[in-house]
Amino acid sequence: MRRSGPGCGCLGCGGGTLLVLAVLGALAWFLVIQPVRGFLASWQLPTTAQTQTQTPQGDGTGVQVPSLPGNGDGTTTPGTAPVPPVNTNAPVTATDIGRFLRVRQDVSTALGGSFTNLQNVWTDIQNGQTPNILTIVNVLRDVGNSIGRARQAQATALAREGLSPERYATVRTTVNRALGVPNIDFARAAEAIQAGRLPDLNTTVQTATPQERAVVEPYRQQLTQTAALGLLGL
């Protein structure tokens, strides 16, 4: 009776290879694909600002048009801060930084314990370590159950502070540059992984302008406490 060659086993060499591939595929599904999908499902849930209802106003055409916050004409909803007409790309001011800080505080609170682990990753990056796919997936798995709450908290805080998402993004970019937060976004990395692409793990830090450093410096200590949120695009 002929015996199988070394290492082939009862399934034969081809069967053994297929078994290994099946195991690797299962591990990839449970350890990578599932956490990424769970994170993106929570991330993409619609968020709504918690505002009070305002009596609709006519627009002269017989159609009742409600006044909505954040339309850039200075109107507001009761219970929220006024939203003045602002150039989204205008230089960031101390007032912007103050509002940004309050929004960030609400977001970090909503993340709960998972924010601590995110902060640890941020510390590693500051120490020169470049995150790999496993690091990103671990973060996505950790924040997956709370990212929806964090984004809802952000939407509510933006309405309260009178900041549009576009203006908030401008302030965040300024803060990130001044604090040295790299151009890595774990949310975009999750989208790349789900699409079967390698995520961008570039940890290059853009240089802040003297004006940006000057406006951020008085708040550096407070901003640093929530700087890790920049890794999630929050």
Side-chain angles (χ1 to χ4, degrees):
M1 179 181 294
R2 296 181 58 187
R3 300 181 59 186
S4 300
C8 290
C10 61
L11 295 177
C13 293
T17 300
L18 290 175
L19 180 60
V20 171
L21 291 176
V23 171
L24 291 177
L27 289 175
W29 173 262
F30 288 108
L31 298 181
V32 178
I33 305 302
Q34 286 271 42
V36 167
R37 285 188 171 183
F39 171 86
L40 289 176
S42 297
W43 177 272
Q44 294 166 358
L45 287 175
T47 54
T48 56
Q50 298 176 359
T51 56
Q52 300 178 15
T53 304
Q54 188 174 22
T55 304
Q57 300 175 351
D59 64 353
T61 63
V63 178
Q64 296 298 311
V65 180
S67 295
L68 300 176
N71 57 9
D73 62 357
T75 60
T76 185
T77 299
T80 64
V83 183
V86 173
N87 177 3
T88 299
N89 296 318
V92 173
T93 66
T95 299
D96 290 327
I97 297 294
R99 292 173 174 175
F100 180 84
L101 272 170
R102 290 188 289 273
V103 174
R104 272 281 177 88
Q105 186 58 54
D106 287 3
V107 174
S108 64
T109 299
L111 276 180
S114 59
F115 175 73
T116 301
N117 294 332
L118 182 65
Q119 188 75 26
N120 291 336
V121 174
W122 160 235
T123 301
D124 290 341
I125 292 176
Q126 282 186 304
N127 292 332
Q129 298 185 29
T130 300
N132 53 37
I133 292 180
L134 183 58
T135 300
I136 293 176
V137 171
N138 285 339
V139 169
L140 298 182
R141 181 189 297 110
D142 190 47
V143 304
N145 294 328
S146 54
I147 193 65
R149 295 194 304 270
R151 282 174 55 78
Q152 180 60 64
Q154 184 186 63
T156 302
L158 287 176
R160 183 194 67 224
E161 298 296 333
L163 274 176
S164 69
E166 295 79 13
R167 183 59 178 171
Y168 181 85
T170 298
V171 179
R172 182 178 62 228
T173 298
T174 296
V175 170
N176 285 353
R177 283 199 290 257
L179 295 183
V181 179
N183 296 326
I184 187 171
D185 188 328
F186 287 7
R188 292 183 180 178
E191 294 175 347
I193 294 173
Q194 180 171 257
R197 304 190 310 269
L198 288 176
D200 182 4
L201 302 180
N202 182 11
T203 56
T204 301
V205 177
Q206 292 184 350
T207 303
T209 66
Q211 292 78 12
E212 289 173 334
R213 289 195 294 269
V215 74
V216 167
E217 189 58 35
Y219 308 92
R220 174 174 291 275
Q221 183 176 1
Q222 295 168 279
L223 290 167
T224 300
Q225 294 174 1
T226 57
L229 293 174
L231 301 177
L232 288 174
L234 291 172

Coordinates of all heavy atoms in Angstrom, one line a residue, residues 1-80:
M1 N 0.9 -1.2 0.0 CA 0.0 0.0 0.0 C 0.9 1.2 0.0 O 1.8 1.3 0.8 CB -0.9 0.0 1.2 CG -1.8 1.2 1.3 SD -2.8 1.2 2.8 CE -3.8 -0.2 2.5
R2 N 0.5 2.2 -0.8 CA 1.3 3.4 -0.9 C 0.9 4.3 0.2 O -0.3 4.5 0.4 CB 1.2 4.1 -2.3 CG 1.7 3.2 -3.4 CD 1.5 4.0 -4.7 NE 2.2 5.3 -4.7 CZ 2.1 6.2 -5.6 NH1 1.4 5.9 -6.7 NH2 2.8 7.3 -5.5
R3 N 1.9 5.0 0.8 CA 1.6 6.0 1.8 C 1.6 7.4 1.2 O 2.4 7.6 0.3 CB 2.6 5.8 3.0 CG 2.6 4.5 3.6 CD 3.6 4.4 4.8 NE 3.2 5.5 5.8 CZ 4.0 5.7 6.8 NH1 5.2 5.0 7.0 NH2 3.7 6.6 7.7
S4 N 0.9 8.3 1.8 CA 0.9 9.7 1.4 C 2.3 10.3 1.7 O 2.9 9.8 2.6 CB -0.2 10.5 2.1 OG -1.5 10.0 1.8
G5 N 2.6 11.2 0.9 CA 3.9 11.9 1.1 C 3.9 12.6 2.4 O 2.9 12.9 3.1
P6 N 5.1 13.0 2.9 CA 5.2 13.8 4.1 C 4.4 15.0 4.2 O 4.4 15.8 3.2 CB 6.7 14.1 4.2 CG 7.3 13.1 3.3 CD 6.4 12.8 2.2
G7 N 3.6 15.2 5.2 CA 2.8 16.5 5.4 C 1.5 16.5 4.7 O 0.7 17.4 4.8
C8 N 1.2 15.4 3.9 CA -0.1 15.5 3.2 C -1.3 15.1 4.0 O -2.3 15.6 3.9 CB 0.0 14.5 2.0 SG 1.1 15.1 0.7
G9 N -1.1 14.1 4.9 CA -2.2 13.8 5.8 C -3.3 13.0 5.1 O -3.2 12.7 3.9
C10 N -4.4 12.7 5.8 CA -5.4 11.9 5.2 C -6.2 12.6 4.1 O -6.9 12.0 3.3 CB -6.4 11.4 6.3 SG -7.2 12.8 7.2
L11 N -6.2 14.0 4.1 CA -6.9 14.7 3.1 C -6.0 14.9 1.8 O -6.5 15.4 0.8 CB -7.3 16.1 3.6 CG -8.3 16.1 4.8 CD1 -8.6 17.5 5.2 CD2 -9.6 15.4 4.3
G12 N -4.8 14.5 1.9 CA -3.9 14.8 0.8 C -3.4 16.2 0.8 O -3.9 17.1 1.6
C13 N -2.4 16.5 0.1 CA -1.8 17.8 0.1 C -2.8 18.9 -0.3 O -2.9 20.0 0.3 CB -0.6 17.9 -0.8 SG 0.8 16.8 -0.3
G14 N -3.6 18.6 -1.3 CA -4.5 19.6 -1.8 C -5.6 19.9 -0.7 O -6.0 21.0 -0.5
G15 N -6.1 18.8 -0.1 CA -7.1 18.9 1.0 C -6.6 19.7 2.1 O -7.3 20.5 2.7
G16 N -5.3 19.5 2.5 CA -4.7 20.2 3.6 C -4.6 21.7 3.4 O -4.9 22.5 4.2
T17 N -4.2 22.0 2.2 CA -4.1 23.4 1.8 C -5.5 24.1 1.8 O -5.6 25.2 2.3 CB -3.5 23.5 0.4 OG1 -2.3 23.0 0.3 CG2 -3.4 25.0 0.0
L18 N -6.5 23.4 1.3 CA -7.9 24.0 1.4 C -8.3 24.2 2.8 O -9.0 25.2 3.1 CB -8.8 23.0 0.6 CG -8.7 23.0 -0.9 CD1 -9.6 22.0 -1.5 CD2 -8.9 24.4 -1.5
L19 N -8.0 23.2 3.7 CA -8.4 23.4 5.1 C -7.7 24.6 5.7 O -8.4 25.4 6.5 CB -8.0 22.1 5.9 CG -8.3 22.1 7.4 CD1 -9.8 22.3 7.6 CD2 -7.8 20.8 8.0
V20 N -6.4 24.8 5.4 CA -5.7 25.9 6.0 C -6.4 27.2 5.5 O -6.6 28.2 6.2 CB -4.2 25.9 5.6 CG1 -3.5 27.2 6.0 CG2 -3.5 24.7 6.3
L21 N -6.7 27.3 4.2 CA -7.3 28.5 3.6 C -8.7 28.7 4.2 O -9.1 29.9 4.4 CB -7.4 28.3 2.1 CG -6.1 28.3 1.3 CD1 -6.4 28.0 -0.2 CD2 -5.4 29.6 1.5
A22 N -9.4 27.6 4.5 CA -10.7 27.8 5.1 C -10.6 28.4 6.5 O -11.4 29.3 6.9 CB -11.4 26.4 5.1
V23 N -9.6 27.9 7.2 CA -9.4 28.4 8.6 C -9.0 29.9 8.6 O -9.5 30.7 9.3 CB -8.3 27.6 9.3 CG1 -8.0 28.2 10.7 CG2 -8.8 26.2 9.6
L24 N -8.1 30.2 7.6 CA -7.7 31.6 7.5 C -8.8 32.5 7.1 O -9.0 33.6 7.6 CB -6.5 31.7 6.5 CG -5.2 31.1 6.9 CD1 -4.2 31.2 5.8 CD2 -4.6 31.8 8.2
G25 N -9.7 32.0 6.2 CA -10.8 32.8 5.8 C -11.8 33.0 6.9 O -12.3 34.1 7.1
A26 N -12.0 32.0 7.7 CA -12.9 32.2 8.9 C -12.3 33.2 9.9 O -13.1 34.0 10.4 CB -13.1 30.8 9.6
L27 N -11.0 33.1 10.1 CA -10.4 34.0 11.0 C -10.5 35.5 10.5 O -10.8 36.4 11.3 CB -8.9 33.6 11.2 CG -8.6 32.4 12.1 CD1 -7.2 32.1 12.1 CD2 -9.2 32.6 13.5
A28 N -10.3 35.6 9.2 CA -10.4 36.9 8.6 C -11.8 37.5 8.7 O -12.0 38.7 9.0 CB -10.0 36.9 7.1
W29 N -12.8 36.6 8.6 CA -14.2 37.0 8.7 C -14.5 37.5 10.1 O -15.1 38.6 10.3 CB -15.1 35.9 8.3 CG -16.6 36.2 8.6 CD1 -17.3 35.8 9.6 CD2 -17.4 37.0 7.7 NE1 -18.6 36.3 9.5 CE2 -18.7 37.0 8.4 CE3 -17.3 37.6 6.5 CZ2 -19.8 37.7 7.8 CZ3 -18.3 38.3 6.0 CH2 -19.6 38.3 6.6
F30 N -14.2 36.7 11.1 CA -14.5 37.0 12.5 C -13.6 38.1 13.1 O -14.1 38.9 13.9 CB -14.5 35.8 13.3 CG -15.6 34.8 13.0 CD1 -15.4 33.6 12.4 CD2 -16.9 35.1 13.4 CE1 -16.5 32.7 12.1 CE2 -18.0 34.3 13.1 CZ -17.8 33.1 12.5
L31 N -12.4 38.1 12.7 CA -11.4 39.0 13.3 C -11.3 40.4 12.6 O -10.8 41.4 13.2 CB -10.1 38.4 13.5 CG -10.0 37.1 14.3 CD1 -8.6 36.6 14.4 CD2 -10.5 37.4 15.7
V32 N -11.6 40.4 11.3 CA -11.4 41.6 10.5 C -12.8 42.1 9.9 O -13.2 43.2 10.2 CB -10.4 41.4 9.4 CG1 -10.2 42.7 8.6 CG2 -9.1 41.0 10.0
I33 N -13.4 41.3 9.1 CA -14.5 41.7 8.3 C -15.7 42.1 9.2 O -16.3 43.1 9.1 CB -15.0 40.7 7.3 CG1 -13.8 40.3 6.4 CG2 -16.1 41.2 6.5 CD1 -13.2 41.5 5.6
Q34 N -16.0 41.2 10.2 CA -17.1 41.5 11.1 C -17.0 42.7 11.9 O -17.9 43.6 11.9 CB -17.3 40.3 12.0 CG -17.9 39.0 11.4 CD -19.5 39.0 11.4 OE1 -20.1 40.1 11.2 NE2 -20.0 37.9 11.7
P35 N -15.8 43.0 12.5 CA -15.7 44.2 13.3 C -15.8 45.5 12.4 O -16.3 46.5 12.8 CB -14.3 44.1 13.9 CG -14.0 42.6 14.0 CD -14.7 42.1 12.8
V36 N -15.2 45.4 11.2 CA -15.3 46.5 10.3 C -16.7 46.8 9.8 O -17.1 48.0 9.8 CB -14.4 46.3 9.0 CG1 -14.6 47.3 7.9 CG2 -12.9 46.3 9.4
R37 N -17.4 45.8 9.5 CA -18.8 46.0 9.1 C -19.7 46.5 10.3 O -20.5 47.4 10.0 CB -19.4 44.6 8.6 CG -18.9 44.2 7.2 CD -19.7 43.0 6.7 NE -19.4 42.7 5.4 CZ -20.0 41.7 4.7 NH1 -20.9 41.0 5.2 NH2 -19.6 41.6 3.4
G38 N -19.4 46.0 11.5 CA -20.2 46.5 12.6 C -19.9 48.0 12.9 O -20.8 48.7 13.2
F39 N -18.6 48.4 12.7 CA -18.3 49.8 12.9 C -18.9 50.6 11.9 O -19.5 51.7 12.3 CB -16.7 49.9 12.9 CG -16.3 51.3 12.8 CD1 -16.1 52.0 14.0 CD2 -16.0 52.0 11.6 CE1 -15.7 53.4 14.0 CE2 -15.6 53.3 11.6 CZ -15.4 54.0 12.8
L40 N -18.8 50.3 10.6 CA -19.4 51.1 9.6 C -20.9 51.2 9.7 O -21.5 52.2 9.4 CB -19.0 50.6 8.2 CG -17.5 50.7 7.9 CD1 -17.2 50.1 6.5 CD2 -17.1 52.2 7.8
A41 N -21.6 50.1 10.1 CA -23.0 50.1 10.2 C -23.4 51.1 11.3 O -24.4 51.9 11.1 CB -23.5 48.7 10.6
S42 N -22.7 51.2 12.4 CA -23.0 52.2 13.4 C -22.6 53.6 13.0 O -23.3 54.6 13.3 CB -22.2 51.8 14.7 OG -22.7 50.6 15.2
W43 N -21.4 53.7 12.3 CA -21.0 55.0 11.8 C -21.9 55.6 10.9 O -22.1 56.8 10.9 CB -19.6 54.8 11.2 CG -19.0 56.1 10.6 CD1 -19.2 56.6 9.3 CD2 -18.2 57.0 11.2 NE1 -18.5 57.7 9.2 CE2 -17.9 58.0 10.3 CE3 -17.6 57.1 12.5 CZ2 -17.1 59.1 10.6 CZ3 -16.8 58.2 12.8 CH2 -16.6 59.2 11.9
Q44 N -22.6 54.8 10.0 CA -23.4 55.4 9.0 C -24.9 55.6 9.4 O -25.7 56.0 8.6 CB -23.3 54.4 7.7 CG -22.0 54.4 7.1 CD -21.8 53.3 6.1 OE1 -22.6 52.5 5.9 NE2 -20.6 53.3 5.5
L45 N -25.2 55.2 10.6 CA -26.5 55.5 11.1 C -26.8 57.0 11.1 O -26.0 57.8 11.4 CB -26.7 55.0 12.6 CG -26.8 53.5 12.8 CD1 -26.9 53.2 14.2 CD2 -28.0 52.9 12.1
P46 N -28.0 57.4 10.6 CA -28.3 58.8 10.5 C -28.4 59.5 11.9 O -28.8 58.9 12.9 CB -29.7 58.9 9.9 CG -30.3 57.5 10.2 CD -29.2 56.6 10.2
T47 N -27.8 60.7 12.0 CA -27.8 61.4 13.3 C -28.7 62.6 13.1 O -28.8 63.2 12.1 CB -26.4 61.8 13.6 OG1 -25.8 62.6 12.5 CG2 -25.5 60.6 13.9
T48 N -29.3 63.0 14.2 CA -30.2 64.1 14.2 C -29.9 65.0 15.4 O -29.6 64.5 16.4 CB -31.7 63.7 14.3 OG1 -31.9 62.9 15.4 CG2 -32.1 62.9 13.0
A49 N -30.0 66.3 15.1 CA -29.8 67.3 16.2 C -31.0 67.3 17.1 O -32.1 67.4 16.5 CB -29.4 68.6 15.6
Q50 N -30.9 67.3 18.4 CA -32.0 67.4 19.3 C -32.4 68.9 19.5 O -31.8 69.6 20.3 CB -31.7 66.7 20.6 CG -31.4 65.2 20.5 CD -31.0 64.6 21.7 OE1 -30.9 65.3 22.8 NE2 -30.7 63.3 21.7
T51 N -33.3 69.3 18.8 CA -33.8 70.7 18.9 C -35.3 70.8 19.1 O -36.0 69.8 18.8 CB -33.4 71.5 17.6 OG1 -34.1 70.8 16.5 CG2 -31.9 71.5 17.3
Q52 N -35.7 71.9 19.6 CA -37.2 72.1 19.8 C -37.9 72.5 18.5 O -37.3 73.0 17.6 CB -37.4 73.2 20.8 CG -36.7 72.9 22.2 CD -36.9 74.0 23.2 OE1 -37.7 74.9 22.9 NE2 -36.1 74.0 24.2
T53 N -39.1 72.1 18.4 CA -39.9 72.4 17.2 C -40.2 73.9 17.2 O -40.6 74.5 18.2 CB -41.2 71.6 17.2 OG1 -40.9 70.2 17.4 CG2 -42.0 71.8 16.0
Q54 N -40.1 74.4 16.0 CA -40.4 75.9 15.8 C -41.6 76.0 14.8 O -41.7 75.2 13.9 CB -39.2 76.6 15.2 CG -39.4 78.1 15.1 CD -38.1 78.8 14.7 OE1 -37.2 78.1 14.0 NE2 -37.9 80.0 15.0
T55 N -42.4 76.9 15.1 CA -43.6 77.1 14.2 C -43.2 77.5 12.8 O -42.4 78.4 12.6 CB -44.4 78.3 14.8 OG1 -44.8 78.0 16.1 CG2 -45.7 78.4 13.9
P56 N -43.7 76.7 11.8 CA -43.3 77.0 10.4 C -43.7 78.4 10.0 O -44.7 78.9 10.4 CB -44.1 75.9 9.6 CG -44.4 74.8 10.6 CD -44.6 75.5 11.9
Q57 N -43.0 78.9 9.1 CA -43.2 80.3 8.6 C -43.5 80.2 7.1 O -42.9 79.4 6.4 CB -42.0 81.2 8.8 CG -41.7 81.3 10.3 CD -40.4 82.1 10.5 OE1 -39.7 82.4 9.6 NE2 -40.1 82.4 11.8
G58 N -44.3 81.1 6.6 CA -44.6 81.1 5.2 C -43.5 81.7 4.4 O -42.8 82.5 4.9
D59 N -43.4 81.3 3.1 CA -42.4 81.9 2.3 C -43.0 82.7 1.2 O -42.3 83.1 0.2 CB -41.5 80.8 1.6 CG -42.3 79.9 0.7 OD1 -43.6 80.0 0.7 OD2 -41.7 79.0 0.0
G60 N -44.3 83.1 1.3 CA -44.9 83.9 0.3 C -45.5 83.1 -0.8 O -46.1 83.7 -1.7
T61 N -45.4 81.8 -0.8 CA -45.9 81.0 -1.9 C -47.1 80.1 -1.4 O -47.6 79.3 -2.2 CB -44.8 80.1 -2.5 OG1 -44.4 79.2 -1.5 CG2 -43.6 80.9 -3.0
G62 N -47.4 80.3 -0.2 CA -48.5 79.5 0.4 C -48.0 78.2 1.0 O -48.8 77.4 1.6
V63 N -46.7 77.9 0.9 CA -46.1 76.7 1.4 C -45.5 77.1 2.8 O -44.7 78.1 2.9 CB -45.0 76.2 0.5 CG1 -44.4 74.9 1.1 CG2 -45.6 75.8 -0.9
Q64 N -45.8 76.3 3.8 CA -45.2 76.5 5.1 C -43.8 75.9 5.2 O -43.5 74.7 4.9 CB -46.0 75.8 6.2 CG -47.4 76.4 6.3 CD -47.4 77.8 6.7 OE1 -46.7 78.2 7.6 NE2 -48.1 78.7 6.0
V65 N -42.8 76.8 5.4 CA -41.4 76.4 5.4 C -40.9 76.6 6.8 O -40.9 77.6 7.4 CB -40.6 77.3 4.5 CG1 -39.1 76.8 4.5 CG2 -41.1 77.2 3.1
P66 N -40.4 75.5 7.5 CA -39.8 75.6 8.8 C -38.5 76.3 8.8 O -37.7 76.2 7.8 CB -39.7 74.1 9.3 CG -39.5 73.4 8.0 CD -40.3 74.1 7.0
S67 N -38.2 77.0 9.9 CA -36.9 77.6 10.0 C -35.9 76.6 10.6 O -36.2 76.0 11.7 CB -36.9 78.8 10.9 OG -37.7 79.8 10.3
L68 N -34.8 76.3 10.0 CA -33.9 75.2 10.4 C -32.6 75.9 10.9 O -32.2 76.9 10.3 CB -33.6 74.2 9.3 CG -34.9 73.5 8.8 CD1 -34.5 72.6 7.6 CD2 -35.5 72.6 9.9
P69 N -32.0 75.3 11.9 CA -30.7 75.9 12.3 C -29.6 75.5 11.3 O -29.7 74.5 10.6 CB -30.5 75.2 13.7 CG -31.2 73.9 13.5 CD -32.4 74.2 12.7
G70 N -28.6 76.3 11.3 CA -27.5 76.0 10.5 C -27.6 76.3 9.0 O -26.9 75.7 8.2
N71 N -28.6 77.2 8.6 CA -28.7 77.5 7.2 C -27.9 78.7 6.8 O -28.0 79.1 5.6 CB -30.2 77.7 6.9 CG -30.8 78.8 7.7 OD1 -30.1 79.5 8.4 ND2 -32.1 79.0 7.6
G72 N -27.1 79.2 7.7 CA -26.1 80.2 7.3 C -26.7 81.6 7.2 O -26.1 82.6 6.7
D73 N -28.0 81.8 7.6 CA -28.6 83.2 7.5 C -28.8 83.8 8.8 O -29.4 84.9 8.9 CB -29.9 83.1 6.7 CG -31.0 82.3 7.4 OD1 -30.6 81.7 8.5 OD2 -32.1 82.2 7.0
G74 N -28.2 83.2 9.9 CA -28.3 83.8 11.2 C -29.5 83.3 12.0 O -29.7 83.8 13.1
T75 N -30.4 82.5 11.4 CA -31.6 82.0 12.1 C -31.1 80.9 13.1 O -30.1 80.3 13.0 CB -32.6 81.5 11.1 OG1 -32.1 80.4 10.4 CG2 -33.1 82.6 10.2
T76 N -32.0 80.6 14.0 CA -31.7 79.6 14.9 C -33.0 78.9 15.4 O -34.1 79.4 15.1 CB -31.0 80.1 16.2 OG1 -30.6 79.1 17.0 CG2 -31.8 81.1 16.9
T77 N -32.9 77.8 16.1 CA -34.0 77.1 16.7 C -34.0 77.4 18.2 O -32.9 77.4 18.8 CB -34.0 75.6 16.5 OG1 -34.0 75.4 15.0 CG2 -35.1 74.9 17.1
P78 N -35.1 77.6 18.9 CA -35.1 77.8 20.4 C -34.3 76.7 21.1 O -34.5 75.5 20.8 CB -36.6 77.8 20.7 CG -37.3 78.2 19.5 CD -36.5 77.7 18.4
G79 N -33.4 77.1 22.0 CA -32.6 76.1 22.7 C -31.3 75.9 22.1 O -30.5 75.1 22.7
T80 N -31.0 76.5 21.0 CA -29.7 76.3 20.3 C -29.0 77.6 20.1 O -29.7 78.7 20.1 CB -29.8 75.6 19.0 OG1 -30.6 76.4 18.1 CG2 -30.5 74.3 19.1

